[in-house]
Amino acid sequence: MASKKVLIVYAHQSSGSFNSAAKDAAVEVLTAEGCTVEVSDLYAMKFKATATAEDITGKVKNADHFCYAEETKLAWEAGKLTADITEEQRKLTEADLVIFQFPMYWFTVPAIMKGWMDRVLTLGFAFTHEKRYSQGIFKDQKAMLSFTTGSQESMFSANGINGDMNVTLWPLQNGILYYCGFHVLAPQIFWAPSHVPSEARGTMLEGWCTRLQGLLGENPLAFTPLDCFDGEKGYQLKPEVQEKHAAKEFGLTVGIHLGKALPPNNQMKAGV
């Protein structure tokens, strides 16, 4: 792990929280492993969550019909994005691994973290029409989610009231991280820490510390490569790929399931 750079994008309001403890554990263990660790503490930074024209210095191209994606692409090319965005883009570019540490809000990331994604992962910098998914801009880097839930694990099962956690994770892991090219490591999920005894929380953190020691050597989750889709036919799965999987019990992934049963733990464990 020597000389590797890690960025932790952290979103929790309290330094006394379990999320803070998980973040601190990552900093401590990864630093001890020889990594250079940088933390973006979004609440402490008062990071702006809204994607607006104020993210661009100087005039925009079309103020009457403002398009955030196009305008920020032009601003990125011209070096006219605001300093808070360019600083986060610098950190992201330098990182070998990005860890998003957060409490799950309404089945997704907190607004301030979604704002970081909206504002930092700009068109041109983080993705283009040609450079996305397996051909994405960050295809030489790794990223992962580390988060707490309010509900216990059984509630996020295939027959639990919240539904399958693999389905919940698909938009974040496929639609944001893998879309930008990242190799996505299996998520670190801390199930309902506020509802268990302190000893159990300690055990959770110990497990995280153990995992952190070999984290950068882990294999990523499996996603379907871009070249399996036909760009001239609406990015549908190529017939030969469909034929190859026609007799198989499960679909390719949670999202590209081919009308079959979802592959178990596709968004939660590598190598399945």
Side-chain angles (χ1 to χ4, degrees):
M1 272 200 193
S3 77
K4 295 289 187 180
K5 290 189 175 183
V6 179
L7 170 62
I8 301 176
V9 183
Y10 166 69
H12 199 288
Q13 305 90 334
S14 174
S15 60
S17 66
F18 186 91
N19 272 274
S20 180
K23 176 259 298 176
D24 290 344
V27 172
E28 183 177 342
V29 174
L30 292 171
T31 300
E33 291 289 321
C35 295
T36 300
V37 184
E38 198 161 13
V39 177
S40 288
D41 185 340
L42 301 184
Y43 286 106
M45 294 160 62
K46 293 182 169 57
F47 192 81
K48 176 175 172 283
T50 53
T52 66
E54 284 71 39
D55 295 341
I56 299 164
T57 61
K59 292 183 178 180
V60 298
K61 182 179 179 181
N62 189 343
D64 293 330
H65 185 62
F66 180 77
C67 174
Y68 191 83
E70 292 300 327
E71 293 284 2
T72 51
K73 178 178 184 288
L74 293 172
W76 171 71
E77 291 170 343
K80 291 184 176 181
L81 289 172
T82 53
D84 60 337
I85 294 175
T86 56
E87 176 62 6
E88 295 306 299
Q89 290 182 339
R90 175 198 64 78
K91 295 175 188 176
L92 192 56
T93 299
E94 294 178 358
D96 296 288
L97 168 67
V98 185
I99 300 173
F100 293 90
Q101 181 65 56
F102 60 96
M104 180 168 273
Y105 281 12
W106 294 111
F107 290 40
T108 187
V109 298
I112 198 167
M113 183 172 281
K114 182 56 165 58
W116 187 96
M117 294 168 171
D118 289 347
R119 297 179 65 231
V120 175
L121 301 176
T122 56
L123 176 61
F125 166 74
F127 67 96
T128 67
H129 180 74
E130 296 78 19
K131 295 180 179 180
R132 51 183 172 160
Y133 292 117
S134 57
Q135 302 300 318
I137 288 169
F138 299 113
K139 65 183 188 302
D140 295 323
Q141 294 159 260
K142 297 179 179 180
M144 68 172 292
L145 307 177
S146 175
F147 61 94
T148 57
T149 66
S151 301
Q152 59 201 63
E153 185 174 5
S154 62
M155 295 169 70
F156 274 109
S157 63
N159 57 352
I161 191 169
N162 291 345
D164 190 339
M165 177 60 86
N166 290 279
V167 175
T168 298
L169 292 173
W170 177 257
L172 292 170
Q173 294 186 156
N174 178 79
I176 300 176
L177 302 183
Y178 181 58
Y179 190 92
C180 292
F182 286 107
H183 292 276
V184 185
L185 301 183
Q188 181 70 26
I189 307 175
F190 301 103
W191 299 102
S194 61
H195 300 298
V196 299
S198 59
E199 296 81 9
R201 289 195 291 273
T203 301
M204 288 180 183
L205 287 174
E206 287 171 12
W208 177 222
C209 288
T210 299
R211 184 184 178 192
L212 283 161
Q213 293 172 24
L215 191 62
L216 277 160
E218 288 186 4
N219 291 322
L221 298 172
F223 293 90
T224 309
L226 185 64
D227 60 11
C228 288
F229 300 88
D230 191 336
E232 295 182 357
K233 295 183 179 179
Y235 284 95
Q236 290 284 296
L237 204 62
K238 292 178 179 177
E240 58 267 30
V241 180
Q242 292 200 49
E243 289 167 16
K244 183 180 176 181
H245 288 83
K248 297 195 176 180
E249 180 181 1
F250 300 110
L252 286 165
T253 59
V254 166
I256 304 152
H257 50 68
L258 310 177
K260 299 174 181 286
L262 303 188
N265 289 318
N266 173 252
Q267 291 298 296
M268 294 173 69
K269 291 183 181 178
V272 296

